[in-house]
Amino acid sequence: MPATTDNQSSFLNRISIRRNQVVAMENHDLELEDLELFQKHVADRFSHILSTTAGNTTDPSSATTESPSAVQESCPPPLLSISWFRNLLDTYLCCEAEFKAVLVMGRDPTQFTKTPLDKLIPDLLDRSVKALDICNAVTHGVELVRHWQKLAQIAVTALQQTTIGEGQVRRAKKALITLLTSMVVDDKENANSNNHGKSTERAWSFGRRGGSGNNNKDRATGNFRSLSWSVAKQWSAAKQIQAMSANLAAPRGGESTGLAMPVYIMSTVLVFVMWALVAAIPCQERTGLATHFVVPRQLGWAQPMIGLQEKIGEEWKKKEKKGTAGLLEELQKMEKVAQSLVDFADSFQFPLEEEKASEVATQVEELADICRKMEEGLVPLQQQVREVFHRIVRSRAEVLDLLDQVGKLSTPVPY
């Protein structure tokens, strides 16, 4: 988003220059101006995402073989697609950079010890730690999606042969059943805490067998284990989101014109981004995730975010009972096409009728297109999640350094 980047650079330069020179305006007036500009940029960025989001997430016409950057330029990315999330994470990184400038740049650190920042800053730091856990879970979830993409690619390669025989169909069916079973295992069994002990014994690699040679049940299921389970057995992505939003309250009265407001805005942006990622990417235990964290509608900057929240909530309600492993648009399409091809494999007879062959070829091409989009977009998406992780770590460290300075200033000097 070039325009967004230019606005961000201009905004940061403006704060840096102005806070290092003598100005006629009072500091309070300057802060009000900075706050208004920050709110405007947040509103503009999320309005852009909302206005450039394709409304129908399952429309086959939205498929394309172009790179994510080309997709962004040629047509709006569907809601919850890989390209859509890449835009969302870019928006988060821009908002976070401006927020840090408002909060930290040229700031007297003693302000952090005064009401209401003395409570809001610790809450922000705690919220950041929880966001780091979610980033880790999402990173592993993307890795699992990449594994599913490889399974789908096996089926595509088998069914794109000039002549489809029983051998190709069996190979494709094996890969697709492994894919679909893994999706259901991750979405349903992981939600039941009583199954964690058994579930964590599964190995996620395609074709890998369990440690016991006579464990027929494990062999039948392919013995999967989700990479998102590198966290503790009782860890819950939904509970983590709920904990992040627990103390999220809009400033009132005079606090709404001070530093409390940008802290609240950035906290809301952080919770929204993490909530959307957990809804779309396979993560451990997401029961209750559809419950919205409340953002006051009277806040102008929040309107586009509320609009996106409602759209995602609608998608969750439509699909939460279907055993899918996340709302990622490409995953939704992959599951649907994979199930159709498994049904074809179950009724396969050689030689294949011409009409049926044409129908299957169309579905295989659709699955191939999904695999290409995943191949192009998942690694950059994973890198962006890691960048968000490192940005949160750096910003948290800078705030802690300021608090440490305050502690040193308040410590009596021994004589």
Side-chain angles (χ1 to χ4, degrees), residues 23-305:
V23 293
M25 299 175 66
E26 295 292 335
N27 288 336
H28 180 67
D29 293 333
L30 291 175
E31 287 188 355
L32 285 177
E33 189 177 338
D34 290 344
L35 174 57
E36 290 175 1
L37 197 56
F38 176 61
Q39 293 184 70
K40 181 181 184 301
H41 286 175
V42 171
D44 289 346
R45 290 188 179 106
F46 279 92
S47 293
H48 178 74
I49 291 178
L50 181 61
S51 65
T52 58
T53 295
N56 187 353
T57 61
T58 58
D59 183 4
S61 64
S62 64
T64 179
T65 60
E66 296 176 327
S67 65
S69 58
V71 168
Q72 184 177 347
E73 294 175 0
S74 61
C75 63
L79 181 69
L80 299 173
S81 64
I82 295 172
S83 297
W84 187 87
F85 272 105
R86 293 188 62 188
N87 290 343
L88 180 65
L89 294 182
D90 278 341
T91 294
Y92 170 80
L93 291 170
C94 290
C95 291
E96 198 276 341
E98 290 194 9
F99 166 71
K100 190 165 60 176
V102 171
L103 184 70
V104 175
M105 193 177 294
R107 182 71 55 196
D108 178 1
T110 59
Q111 292 188 21
F112 293 164
T113 64
K114 301 174 183 177
T115 304
L117 293 185
D118 60 336
K119 182 180 183 303
L120 294 178
I121 294 300
D123 285 347
L124 177 65
L125 295 177
D126 180 67
R127 198 171 287 116
S128 298
V129 172
K130 291 179 171 62
L132 295 179
D133 288 340
I134 292 176
C135 285
N136 279 330
V138 169
T139 298
H140 289 297
V142 173
E143 192 67 29
L144 179 61
V145 176
R146 292 178 64 193
H147 166 64
W148 290 341
Q149 180 256 321
K150 290 181 176 67
L151 291 172
Q153 188 61 54
I154 291 173
V156 168
T157 302
L159 296 177
Q160 280 184 334
Q161 303 299 316
T162 304
T163 302
I164 300 178
E166 291 185 2
Q168 288 86 359
V169 172
R170 280 198 303 269
R171 179 168 175 78
K173 181 180 177 181
K174 180 181 178 182
L176 293 175
I177 287 180
T178 303
L179 164 64
L180 293 171
T181 305
S182 180
M183 283 184 171
V184 173
V185 163
D186 263 69
D187 202 52
K188 287 190 172 181
E189 291 190 16
N190 292 10
N192 187 344
S193 59
N194 294 327
N195 290 336
H196 282 312
K198 294 181 180 179
S199 299
T200 50
E201 295 300 319
R202 291 188 297 267
W204 69 283
S205 297
F206 173 64
R208 185 183 298 176
R209 299 303 183 186
S212 174
N214 55 11
N215 193 334
N216 294 327
K217 182 178 180 180
D218 281 347
R219 289 186 178 187
T221 61
N223 221 7
F224 322 107
R225 182 177 67 190
S226 167
L227 287 179
S228 62
W229 289 8
S230 62
V231 294
K233 292 179 181 179
Q234 301 304 318
W235 188 85
S236 163
K239 289 180 180 178
Q240 196 82 334
I241 295 293
Q242 291 166 6
M244 289 179 67
S245 59
N247 297 324
L248 200 58
R252 297 180 178 180
E255 292 181 0
S256 62
T257 60
L259 286 177
M261 182 55 79
V263 172
Y264 172 71
I265 293 173
M266 196 61 223
S267 295
T268 303
V269 171
L270 178 63
V271 173
F272 173 79
V273 171
M274 295 298 120
W275 175 77
L277 284 169
V278 168
I281 307 295
C283 286
Q284 180 171 301
E285 216 290 293
R286 294 180 290 182
T287 304
L289 190 67
T291 304
H292 293 181
F293 56 94
V294 179
V295 183
R297 291 184 175 273
Q298 68 269 23
L299 299 175
W301 58 265
Q303 292 303 314
M305 195 181 304

Side-chain angles (χ1 to χ4, degrees), residues 234-405:
Q234 301 304 318
W235 188 85
S236 163
K239 289 180 180 178
Q240 196 82 334
I241 295 293
Q242 291 166 6
M244 289 179 67
S245 59
N247 297 324
L248 200 58
R252 297 180 178 180
E255 292 181 0
S256 62
T257 60
L259 286 177
M261 182 55 79
V263 172
Y264 172 71
I265 293 173
M266 196 61 223
S267 295
T268 303
V269 171
L270 178 63
V271 173
F272 173 79
V273 171
M274 295 298 120
W275 175 77
L277 284 169
V278 168
I281 307 295
C283 286
Q284 180 171 301
E285 216 290 293
R286 294 180 290 182
T287 304
L289 190 67
T291 304
H292 293 181
F293 56 94
V294 179
V295 183
R297 291 184 175 273
Q298 68 269 23
L299 299 175
W301 58 265
Q303 292 303 314
M305 195 181 304
I306 293 172
L308 289 169
Q309 186 186 45
E310 291 174 346
K311 286 180 177 291
I312 296 171
E314 290 171 4
E315 292 300 315
W316 183 272
K317 289 177 183 178
K318 286 193 296 185
K319 296 167 183 174
E320 65 178 333
K321 296 181 180 179
K322 295 185 179 180
T324 54
L327 297 183
L328 190 69
E329 191 254 359
E330 287 81 2
L331 277 183
Q332 295 293 317
K333 287 185 176 181
M334 175 179 283
E335 183 184 33
K336 182 179 179 181
V337 178
Q339 185 59 62
S340 179
L341 288 174
V342 168
D343 294 341
F344 154 73
D346 287 338
S347 60
F348 173 76
Q349 290 183 347
F350 185 85
L352 196 61
E353 296 179 0
E354 184 176 344
E355 182 178 348
K356 189 65 177 177
S358 176
E359 178 184 341
V360 170
T362 299
Q363 293 178 340
V364 171
E365 181 54 37
E366 183 179 354
L367 188 58
D369 182 69
I370 296 168
C371 288
R372 283 192 291 268
K373 292 169 77 173
M374 287 185 168
E375 183 73 24
E376 293 173 350
L378 285 176
V379 171
L381 177 63
Q382 197 172 44
Q383 291 171 344
Q384 281 179 296
V385 173
R386 288 171 179 162
E387 173 58 25
V388 168
F389 179 97
H390 291 298
R391 180 74 69 83
I392 293 173
V393 169
R394 290 196 298 269
S395 297
R396 189 173 185 276
E398 290 181 27
V399 174
L400 287 173
D401 285 343
L402 287 176
L403 295 178
D404 186 52
Q405 293 177 29

